[in-house]
Amino acid sequence: MHFWSRVAVIFFLSLLYLPGVQMVLRIVPEVELQGVVVESTRPRLTPQAWLSGAFQDQLSQWFEDRLGFRGHLIKTENQLNFSLFHDISAQTKTKIILGKDRYLYEYAYVHNWNGQDILPGAVYVKALEERVRNFKELQEALRKRGITLVLLLSPSKASVYPEFIPTAYHSPLRTQRNTYYARLRPLLDAAGVEYLDAREYFLTHKATSSYPFFTRGGTHWNYYGACLIARELILRLETLQQKDMANLHCEPVIVDNTTYGTDRDLAHLVNIWDDAAFDGPTPHPTITTSGGEKVFKPKILWVGDSFTWTLLSIMDSRGIYQSRNFFYYYNRNSSFPEGKEVALDQAAIDWEKDVFSHNIIIIEASETAIPEFGFGFVEDAFKAISTPGSS
Amino acid sequence: MVFSSLLFLFGFLPLFFLVYYLVPARARNMVALIGSYFFYAWGAPRFVLVLAATTIVNYGLSRWMAHIKDRGQDHARRVLILALILNVALLAYAKYANFFVHELNAVLSAFGWHTVFWTNIVLPIGISFFTFQQISYLVDVYRGTVPPAARWTEYALYVVLFPQLIAGPIVRYHDVAEQIRERVYDVKKFSYGIYRFCLGLGKKVLIANQLGVVADAIFGLSLNHTALPVTHAWLGLLAYGMQIYFDFSGYSDMAIGLGNMLGFRFLENFRMPYIATSFTDFWRRWHISLSNWMKEYLYIPLGGNRVALWRRYLNLWFVFLLSGLWHGANWTFIVWGAYHGFFLMLDKLFLLRALEKIPLFLARSFTFGLVLIGWVFFRSPNLTYAGDFLVRLFSFRFVGDIVPDYVLAEFVSSRSLFTLGVALCICFIPGWKWTERVTIYVREHASQGWKWSLKYSISFVLFLLSVLSLANSSFNPFIYFQF
């Protein structure tokens, strides 16, 4: 009996001390976890910090972030829940839903698909109408200056592939509700706004397409889907600009089970050991351009959300434009070909130099971003263009 | 700092054990005392002085009381009364002043009078527990059950010992006085402590926390605008009933386990309460330390079973009203206490005899059902909500609106349903006759080695699974950089 007691004590104490030892000495390589977190720093002990409890909270967070074997522990927990219970237990800020056939969805998009995120009352409708009006006015004002403004509506996986959404997440009231998208489309048409509806494009071509437009493990369109939209966008811009641009081609398509980049952004967040759990036949387009050397290569400004990144990864390196800037959520500016990314100070924008020097401005909005499409850029730009001499 | 946190498990505890067992045995009380004050100060930095001050004042009063007892019991009684008033006043002020002023202002407003200006007081954590412990010590000294502690450090250690400081069990001084002065440290005790601690950690993290998500989601619905189906309501209530049991008993197990690891033996606080055959039986199994305290320091001084029948019932009901109030400053807790007091009175009148005549299974189901319904009051934010929820429990409405369905999809996972099943099995299977037979058989026939290895394998699996869960809940990434 004493022997077993001693074994139990030694084993328990080993379990207690091992993470701390690993934390300090890093004997075993730590497993990297996917996802973006705010790095915690070791707090400074001051009487105020102690009395307010801030020091304790920060030290707890710092300790947890650096605990030895943390990556191993988290991946094991998530793997156990996935394998035994078919649950996604990752405690992500972006809630992930495990759909049928291992399709992953962001909760926000399923919520949006159900029309659950609509604000009550007519307030939001008025706000949307005003936003469309502002957009049309800006479009006209920019057209007069020879700048083409286009709205690109990005689809969500939930809209294009609702068949994989678990039945428990199908709201029986869904068909009685309007989504933001359903509200927006007639407003755009009535106002005569120039836009490209990628959602409509995907739904129209879904049945006849040989390849899916979204991967199981990604929240954004896959590279094939993005290539098709980029191609359509360029064709639309040619019509609007009345100039030939380099055209994109997305065939032939190679299908295999490898996924990378945004094709597996949700799968990454799940943080399980089985890396290939959400992989499946994935189309990889062979992207080429045509049009020759004398095509028009504009300067493009994008304002949008994360759906834009996949488009840029296709278009940046294929000579579609001479340069581009991307106002990510109208909060950060990523530029090509410089390859820089900096915080965007909206108050400090030199509108003539930073915005109206572009030939084309594209505002991209995903379905959940529709209520605030442009993220304030449209209103600021219209104010800037309407005020002579202001920047 | 809670026991079920990574910082406690892998930061505080290893360092504490290292120092505690490196120093000579005679210095361990001081190490435990300093460690316990640090533990309390970590979570309540502003109130640690309040805690220290109460131990100094109460210790001083206990010494004075013992000293003047020679002059007569009356003098000692006056000191005891003073001490009790000070302790109860502190508890009343810190825990109930906000509630009383709020209710007073509601009455004043109803009459159109000026309300009382009041700034809400922040509740010092653990005050209900350490106040009751100090009262128990003072009364024990007054009664002569134990002499006052020889040193303030011994008394302070009794009050602030970190395993039981924040959430009990309520340890009576006479149960631990001898252990504070001298206790045995051996591997067997330490290993038993490990077993209890791992069990408690598993109960808290793997069961209570999981089911708490379900209960919180359902009880978090605004019932004004939600058609909650009867199935959802019972699911939420069942989840809560399991959550509160496994949370509380898990914490008690951890406290008992830690106590053993430090050389102390605390009394049990829970004994399979959901297989109780009556409310009387329930209170011999649930929060045993509180019911013992209430009996010894409130019910018996009020007359106990020596007074007239009507007075006995009134005392019983009053004790449970106070018991409800002790749990929290809200009318819901008072009603919960009154609810239990009512059924205890019925037990005394006729119910106990009636339940003894029916099959065990029925008596247990009846009691469990009523106890479960009582939890509605305990969990609800106010009496209106409690009433609405009770209506829904018996509404026979099987179709709801979208809100509860979505809530189920979001918060009730396969794992939580599995956990609920496991929780129900743990609560009820030990009460079955054949379980008892199997247990006796194993005890008599299985080898010591086999029993011990099974016991500790389960413990360490629970520990590891709990740590996995805790680690996972600490990592909350975004999909992309959020500026």
Side-chain angles (χ1 to χ4, degrees):
Chain A
M1 199 192 290
H2 280 304
F3 168 74
W4 286 112
S5 296
R6 285 199 181 98
V7 167
V9 170
I10 291 167
F11 190 70
F12 179 71
L13 291 176
S14 307
L15 290 177
L16 276 193
Y17 285 99
L18 219 51
V21 168
Q22 165 70 5
M23 184 172 159
V24 172
L25 300 176
R26 297 284 183 215
I27 300 164
V28 173
E30 282 292 334
V31 162
E32 200 191 317
L33 294 167
Q34 302 293 333
V36 176
V37 288
V38 175
E39 193 74 26
S40 57
T41 51
R42 191 160 72 180
R44 221 166 52 93
L45 177 60
T46 62
Q48 296 90 336
W50 176 263
L51 286 173
S52 68
F55 173 81
Q56 294 88 314
D57 291 340
Q58 285 164 24
L59 187 68
S60 291
Q61 188 61 57
W62 177 87
F63 184 87
E64 284 171 2
D65 288 350
R66 274 152 195 76
L67 187 68
F69 303 114
R70 188 188 195 212
H72 298 83
L73 295 171
I74 289 170
K75 281 195 151 183
T76 304
E77 166 75 356
N78 288 331
Q79 184 68 60
L80 279 174
N81 279 300
F82 181 71
S83 301
L84 296 176
F85 299 109
H86 213 59
D87 271 347
I88 302 292
S89 60
Q91 302 290 301
T92 51
K93 293 263 195 269
T94 308
K95 185 175 157 59
I96 300 173
I97 295 170
L98 178 62
K100 299 170 190 171
D101 199 22
R102 294 190 173 191
Y103 265 69
L104 296 177
Y105 294 89
E106 263 190 77
Y107 174 80
Y109 289 117
V110 173
H111 207 51
N112 168 267
W113 173 74
N114 276 306
Q116 290 280 121
D117 59 347
I118 297 272
L119 293 170
V123 171
Y124 87 89
V125 175
K126 279 201 175 334
L128 207 54
E129 285 170 355
E130 194 182 326
R131 205 168 281 272
V132 169
R133 254 195 319 274
N134 291 340
F135 188 91
K136 179 63 183 173
E137 283 169 2
L138 179 64
Q139 201 168 54
E140 286 304 307
L142 287 170
R143 191 180 57 79
K144 286 175 186 158
R145 290 185 60 159
I147 302 169
T148 301
L149 173 66
V150 169
L151 177 65
L152 171 61
L153 300 177
S154 316
S156 73
K157 193 196 243 182
S159 292
V160 180
Y161 295 104
E163 59 267 31
F164 297 105
I165 297 174
T167 315
Y169 283 92
H170 286 230
S171 165
L173 299 174
R174 189 176 56 81
T175 50
Q176 297 169 35
R177 285 201 183 103
N178 260 327
T179 61
Y180 282 124
Y181 169 83
R183 286 281 185 187
L184 179 70
R185 269 296 305 264
L187 293 175
L188 293 176
D189 290 334
V193 166
E194 286 295 341
Y195 66 92
L196 175 63
D197 187 348
R199 182 186 191 272
E200 188 182 45
Y201 180 89
F202 281 161
L203 287 171
T204 306
H205 293 86
K206 178 180 165 184
T208 53
S209 173
S210 305
Y211 315 105
F213 306 126
F214 285 82
T215 55
R216 272 207 192 102
T219 197
H220 304 98
W221 38 36
N222 59 28
Y223 289 95
Y224 175 66
C227 184
L228 294 177
I229 297 305
R231 184 187 68 187
E232 291 302 307
L233 184 63
I234 291 168
L235 292 173
R236 177 68 62 88
L237 291 172
E238 279 185 325
T239 307
L240 292 170
Q241 295 257 294
Q242 293 292 301
K243 287 176 187 169
D244 280 338
M245 290 172 63
N247 291 138
L248 274 178
H249 304 280
C250 308
E251 274 86 16
V253 176
I254 298 164
V255 179
D256 59 31
N257 283 343
T258 55
T259 52
Y260 51 82
T262 54
D263 276 353
R264 49 182 299 113
D265 47 21
L266 285 184
H268 269 142
L269 269 196
V270 173
N271 276 305
I272 57 176
W273 290 110
D274 181 6
D275 263 343
F278 305 101
D279 287 348
T282 304
H284 302 288
T286 308
I287 304 173
T288 53
T289 54
S290 64
E293 284 298 315
K294 289 194 177 148
V295 292
F296 172 55
K297 294 196 181 186
K299 293 192 326 187
I300 301 187
L301 170 65
W302 295 79
V303 181
D305 53 39
S306 51
F307 275 80
T308 303
W309 288 115
T310 326
L311 296 173
L312 298 185
S313 71
I314 289 168
M315 296 168 81
D316 275 357
S317 54
R318 284 168 177 96
I320 306 296
Y321 33 71
Q322 61 170 289
S323 69
R324 66 102 182 123
N325 285 292
F326 174 29
F327 289 177
Y328 178 47
Y329 281 97
Y330 190 34
N331 240 305
R332 293 190 71 76
N333 181 18
S334 158
S335 52
F336 172 86
E338 296 87 345
K340 282 190 206 159
E341 188 175 321
V342 295
L344 183 70
D345 182 356
Q346 294 167 9
I349 292 175
D350 182 337
W351 288 90
E352 287 301 325
K353 182 165 150 291
D354 300 331
V355 177
F356 303 139
S357 60
H358 295 84
N359 307 111
I360 296 169
I361 299 175
I362 299 170
I363 305 232
E364 176 270 317
S366 59
E367 289 188 60
T368 52
I370 284 173
E372 44 179 7
F373 73 80
F375 308 107
F377 172 84
V378 171
E379 290 73 21
D380 288 352
F382 185 71
K383 193 172 156 193
I385 207 170
S386 313
T387 313
S390 69
S391 65
Chain B
M1 207 188 312
V2 293
F3 297 160
S4 56
S5 68
L6 295 174
L7 183 63
F8 177 82
L9 291 172
F10 301 111
F12 177 83
L13 205 55
L15 287 173
F16 178 81
F17 279 150
L18 194 66
V19 176
Y20 189 76
Y21 280 105
L22 275 180
V23 302
R26 65 178 183 278
R28 285 179 188 161
N29 275 358
M30 187 53 74
V31 170
L33 185 64
I34 294 169
S36 298
Y37 270 120
F38 176 80
F39 178 86
Y40 189 82
W42 184 269
R46 290 178 191 274
F47 296 123
V48 67
L49 293 175
V50 171
L51 178 61
T54 61
T55 59
I56 292 168
V57 167
N58 282 314
Y59 181 68
L61 287 170
S62 74
R63 292 301 297 242
W64 184 22
M65 193 165 39
H67 178 68
I68 65 170
K69 246 173 132 176
D70 305 328
R71 283 196 233 157
Q73 201 71 353
D74 277 350
H75 293 287
R77 189 185 296 127
R78 281 193 209 109
V79 176
L80 174 68
I81 290 169
L82 170 67
L84 290 178
I85 288 172
L86 287 174
N87 280 280
V88 171
L90 175 66
L91 180 62
Y93 175 74
K95 190 164 180 175
Y96 302 106
N98 296 340
F99 170 64
F100 286 130
V101 170
H102 181 260
E103 294 306 306
L104 175 67
N105 282 341
V107 169
L108 294 173
S109 294
F111 283 102
W113 296 339
H114 285 300
T115 55
V116 172
F117 175 75
W118 181 255
T119 306
N120 274 349
I121 295 160
V122 178
L123 176 68
I125 48 170
I127 191 168
S128 304
F129 289 95
F130 67 70
T131 302
F132 267 34
Q133 288 203 179
Q134 298 200 77
I135 289 174
S136 119
Y137 166 79
L138 290 162
V139 174
D140 281 356
V141 167
Y142 168 77
R143 285 175 179 168
T145 314
V146 281
R151 283 182 281 275
W152 172 79
T153 48
E154 286 179 11
Y155 173 69
L157 183 63
Y158 156 68
V159 177
V160 310
L161 189 62
F162 74 85
Q164 41 79 35
L165 172 61
I166 304 297
I170 302 170
V171 177
R172 291 172 300 188
Y173 184 68
H174 60 255
D175 288 329
V176 293
E178 197 53 50
Q179 295 179 72
I180 290 174
R181 282 190 289 275
E182 198 176 326
R183 53 190 176 274
V184 170
Y185 304 95
D186 63 36
V187 166
K188 189 178 157 193
K189 212 174 189 179
F190 197 99
S191 63
Y192 179 72
I194 291 170
Y195 162 67
R196 290 300 296 269
F197 182 80
C198 293
L199 204 68
L201 187 66
K203 278 179 171 181
K204 167 87 177 97
V205 175
L206 300 175
I207 298 180
N209 287 359
Q210 287 290 319
L211 296 179
V213 171
V214 177
D216 286 350
I218 292 176
F219 274 91
L221 293 172
S222 163
L223 296 182
N224 286 340
H225 306 292
T226 303
L228 187 69
V230 63
T231 43
H232 295 40
W234 279 104
L235 175 65
L237 185 57
L238 199 57
Y240 181 68
M242 293 297 115
Q243 178 202 359
I244 193 170
Y245 169 58
F246 283 93
D247 196 291
F248 207 169
S249 69
Y251 211 86
S252 292
D253 283 331
M254 286 193 274
I256 290 167
L258 286 168
N260 271 273
M261 286 191 253
L262 302 184
F264 291 93
R265 280 213 192 278
F266 297 144
L267 298 179
E268 291 298 329
N269 212 15
F270 289 86
R271 205 169 46 85
M272 296 189 291
Y274 286 149
I275 61 167
T277 52
S278 63
F279 273 75
T280 305
D281 190 25
F282 178 79
W283 281 100
R284 290 191 197 120
R285 297 166 176 272
W286 178 277
H287 204 174
I288 298 167
S289 64
L290 176 68
S291 49
N292 283 347
W293 192 99
M294 287 290 186
K295 182 176 159 188
E296 196 165 335
Y297 301 107
L298 200 54
Y299 182 68
I300 289 173
L302 284 173
N305 293 338
R306 300 186 310 270
V307 296
L309 211 61
W310 68 269
R311 175 94 181 266
R312 212 184 299 171
Y313 296 156
L314 194 66
N315 288 343
L316 190 62
W317 199 67
F318 176 70
V319 164
F320 271 86
L321 261 183
L322 283 187
S323 176
L325 189 61
W326 179 86
H327 283 86
N330 195 321
W331 286 110
T332 52
F333 294 111
I334 295 170
V335 169
W336 174 81
Y339 176 88
H340 276 257
F342 172 72
F343 280 101
L344 282 161
M345 265 178 14
L346 288 187
D347 272 358
K348 296 256 184 271
L349 279 169
F350 69 91
L351 195 54
L352 205 54
R353 285 188 298 279
L355 289 169
E356 281 164 6
K357 291 185 176 118
I358 63 174
L360 204 62
F361 161 74
L362 284 176
R364 283 177 174 163
S365 305
F366 177 76
T367 305
F368 175 68
L370 287 175
V371 165
L372 202 59
I373 289 167
W375 288 132
V376 172
F377 297 104
F378 204 87
R379 180 56 181 78
S380 298
N382 53 62
L383 288 177
T384 309
Y385 188 98
D388 277 344
F389 200 92
L390 284 170
V391 165
R392 278 155 175 77
L393 283 177
F394 299 100
S395 67
F396 298 105
R397 175 204 278 269
F398 289 93
V399 176
D401 59 36
I402 182 52
V403 174
D405 285 336
Y406 233 66
V407 158
L408 276 196
E410 258 190 83
F411 297 105
V412 182
S413 61
S414 341
R415 179 175 172 173
S416 50
L417 289 175
F418 173 78
T419 303
L420 183 61
V422 167
L424 289 169
C425 287
I426 293 171
C427 284
F428 295 106
I429 285 180
W432 296 357
K433 279 208 172 76
W434 66 263
T435 314
E436 212 180 301
R437 286 190 205 125
V438 167
T439 311
I440 293 168
Y441 180 85
V442 167
R443 206 175 283 149
E444 287 171 1
H445 293 91
S447 71
Q448 204 64 283
W450 188 89
K451 280 189 283 192
W452 277 70
S453 53
L454 178 69
K455 185 171 162 182
Y456 286 101
S457 301
I458 291 171
S459 305
F460 294 133
V461 165
L462 288 176
F463 182 83
L464 284 168
L465 289 177
S466 301
V467 168
L468 291 182
S469 183
L470 290 172
N472 195 34
S473 61
S474 75
F475 182 64
N476 312 113
F478 291 99
I479 184 169
Y480 291 116
F481 178 60
Q482 295 286 303
F483 41 81

